[in-house]
Amino acid sequence: MPPFDVPEGDPFGPHNLPYGVFSPSAGAERRVGVRLGDRVLDAGAVATALGSPDADLLARPTLNPLLAAGPEAWSRVRNALTTWATDPAHAATVAAHLHPLADVRLHLPFEVADYVDFYASENHARNVGRIFRPDAADPLTPNWKHLPIGYHGRAGTVVVSGTDVVRPSGQRKGPGDPEPVFGPSVRLDIEAEVGFVVGTPSAQGASVPLTAFREHVFGLCLLNDWSARDIQAWEYVPLGPFLGKSFATSVSAWITPLAALEHARVSPPERTHPLLPYLDDSVPAVEPGGYDLRISVAVNGQVVSEPPFSTMYWTAAQQLAHLTVNGASLRTGDLYASGTVSGPAENQRGSLLELTWNGRDPLELPDGKRAFLEDGDVVTLSAWAPGADGTRVGLGEVSGRVVGS
């Protein structure tokens, strides 16, 4: 077997080839890598050795130059990488530039330009509505079925998987408290999400239609938008999330290109309300915008939820169209997230807020009950998607440990 072969059925085989940025040793320069099984291929070094015209895009310390190069370059580079990873003629060159995954340091794979978080799961939105507005006739807000609700987050606190998350402090005020108090959050939560990474920018004043989604979005990754529910509850009226969200957002070290997920594309749930033309994905010219991603959420190694991304009401294409419909421009490295992914079943909820019903029904873990996260807890999101011929396409996990403030 050639040295770059991976075991049959490995979700990170040549059919996947997600991109990341790594250092092969302490103090070494960062470089673009591609995951192949349990190893990392130094993409820039191989491209240079084989005389690739795209070597300059790959011999960089970040993915941003490749992201900015656009769809034709993305396809050309992916085709070349697939050839290098499967053609025995390149075995010696590839073998010289493979590094054991366990021996490298992984970094944030791209420079984040802007960050937007959406609220696209109907199941999640209904659960939250029932928790906080139990007497409302409809748990959804009146605008929910008409547009993808979102807010602008903080790009500077997006961190790579494996980074510790310091418990945030801020103001909080419980229902029985006469005045707000200041201190560490006591209701620290997770949000299991999927992030989409923008490559090609757009001009300010121009909108991006549904049909142009794949011209601008390079790939996706798992994302955990950590949330301090007590801080958020006190501050969010009337302007929305702020300190309760901005302290940390964790993303995977690996960006899966959309091209690796062709067999995971599905139609979104049936629309129950007519959509305005710029969001209408029922027309023949618009490709199915959903993705069948099977997510698992683990707390301290125990799986507590398995949210299905295929149930998301609003698609990534619709979110991008809405994000830009007012003329807001895209920049290379923009990151936008789906919002919490929750399915219809109790074991498919993507936040502790829902899983414990706002703390009323704590989770039973081997090391004790959890209503919300305690210091030392480790949360890990993992996922896979169906690929060609029964294969699985693995998404890079995102993990973070809570540490005291």
Side-chain angles (χ1 to χ4, degrees), residues 72-202:
E72 290 187 9
W74 304 342
S75 178
R76 190 173 61 245
V77 169
R78 179 171 172 79
N79 289 339
L81 285 165
T82 302
T83 298
W84 301 340
T86 56
D87 188 344
H90 302 303
T93 304
V94 170
H97 298 290
L98 281 171
H99 301 266
L101 180 60
D103 294 346
V104 305
R105 180 181 178 187
L106 299 174
H107 305 280
L108 190 66
F110 62 100
E111 296 174 8
V112 182
D114 286 309
Y115 171 53
V116 173
D117 189 31
F118 282 96
Y119 190 52
S121 165
E122 181 175 359
N123 295 301
H124 173 67
R126 286 190 179 278
N127 287 337
V128 171
R130 292 186 182 105
I131 290 171
F132 293 116
R133 298 183 301 277
D135 298 327
D138 186 347
L140 297 180
T141 54
N143 60 348
W144 202 93
K145 286 292 184 83
H146 296 278
L147 57 84
I149 296 172
Y151 71 92
H152 285 269
R154 188 173 179 85
T157 50
V158 176
V159 297
V160 71
S161 175
T163 304
D164 285 347
V165 174
V166 177
R167 182 177 298 274
S169 293
Q171 288 192 31
R172 62 179 190 269
K173 182 180 182 299
D177 296 336
E179 297 291 337
V181 298
F182 178 86
S185 170
V186 296
R187 299 171 72 83
L188 185 59
D189 198 358
I190 62 163
E191 290 190 343
E193 306 192 23
V194 174
F196 291 83
V197 181
V198 172
T200 312
S202 65

Side-chain angles (χ1 to χ4, degrees), residues 117-381:
D117 189 31
F118 282 96
Y119 190 52
S121 165
E122 181 175 359
N123 295 301
H124 173 67
R126 286 190 179 278
N127 287 337
V128 171
R130 292 186 182 105
I131 290 171
F132 293 116
R133 298 183 301 277
D135 298 327
D138 186 347
L140 297 180
T141 54
N143 60 348
W144 202 93
K145 286 292 184 83
H146 296 278
L147 57 84
I149 296 172
Y151 71 92
H152 285 269
R154 188 173 179 85
T157 50
V158 176
V159 297
V160 71
S161 175
T163 304
D164 285 347
V165 174
V166 177
R167 182 177 298 274
S169 293
Q171 288 192 31
R172 62 179 190 269
K173 182 180 182 299
D177 296 336
E179 297 291 337
V181 298
F182 178 86
S185 170
V186 296
R187 299 171 72 83
L188 185 59
D189 198 358
I190 62 163
E191 290 190 343
E193 306 192 23
V194 174
F196 291 83
V197 181
V198 172
T200 312
S202 65
Q204 188 168 355
S207 59
V208 176
L210 293 173
T211 52
F213 167 70
R214 292 158 68 84
E215 296 175 18
H216 292 274
V217 174
F218 173 78
L220 56 78
C221 63
L222 291 176
L223 180 149
N224 184 354
D225 199 30
W226 305 83
S227 300
R229 300 297 185 188
D230 44 357
I231 296 173
Q232 181 182 358
W234 174 234
E235 72 179 1
Y236 86 106
V237 178
L239 291 183
F242 188 37
L243 300 184
K245 294 278 195 174
S246 63
F247 59 95
T249 300
S250 297
V251 296
S252 170
W254 300 103
I255 309 301
T256 303
L258 295 185
L261 296 167
E262 283 299 298
H263 294 271
R265 293 171 63 191
V266 294
S267 297
E270 182 181 356
R271 310 301 182 190
T272 57
H273 290 59
L275 297 177
L276 292 172
Y278 79 97
L279 292 172
D280 187 0
D281 57 0
S282 66
V283 297
V286 179
E287 301 172 307
Y291 284 94
D292 182 9
L293 312 178
R294 323 287 179 87
I295 303 172
S296 292
V297 180
V299 178
N300 299 336
Q302 177 169 317
V303 174
V304 297
S305 178
E306 295 185 318
F309 192 72
S310 60
T311 63
M312 300 297 278
Y313 191 87
W314 295 106
T315 70
Q318 289 172 316
Q319 291 164 19
L320 190 70
H322 187 65
L323 192 160
T324 60
V325 75
N326 68 342
S329 59
L330 297 176
R331 295 195 291 169
T332 296
D334 278 353
L335 172 68
Y336 68 98
S338 61
T340 304
V341 183
S342 291
E346 290 186 8
N347 65 345
Q348 295 177 332
R349 297 169 177 172
S351 67
L352 293 179
L353 175 69
E354 298 166 86
L355 286 167
T356 71
W357 212 252
N358 201 23
R360 184 193 69 188
D361 307 316
L363 295 178
E364 295 282 355
L365 299 179
D367 54 349
K369 293 184 177 182
R370 292 291 189 283
F372 292 93
L373 296 174
E374 297 181 1
D375 290 353
D377 285 346
V378 176
V379 178
T380 302
L381 311 182

Side-chain angles (χ1 to χ4, degrees), residues 19-40:
Y19 295 88
V21 169
F22 76 104
S23 298
S25 59
E29 293 183 354
R30 300 183 182 192
R31 55 199 72 189
V32 171
V34 174
R35 183 167 174 181
L36 194 57
D38 60 359
R39 287 168 287 183
V40 180

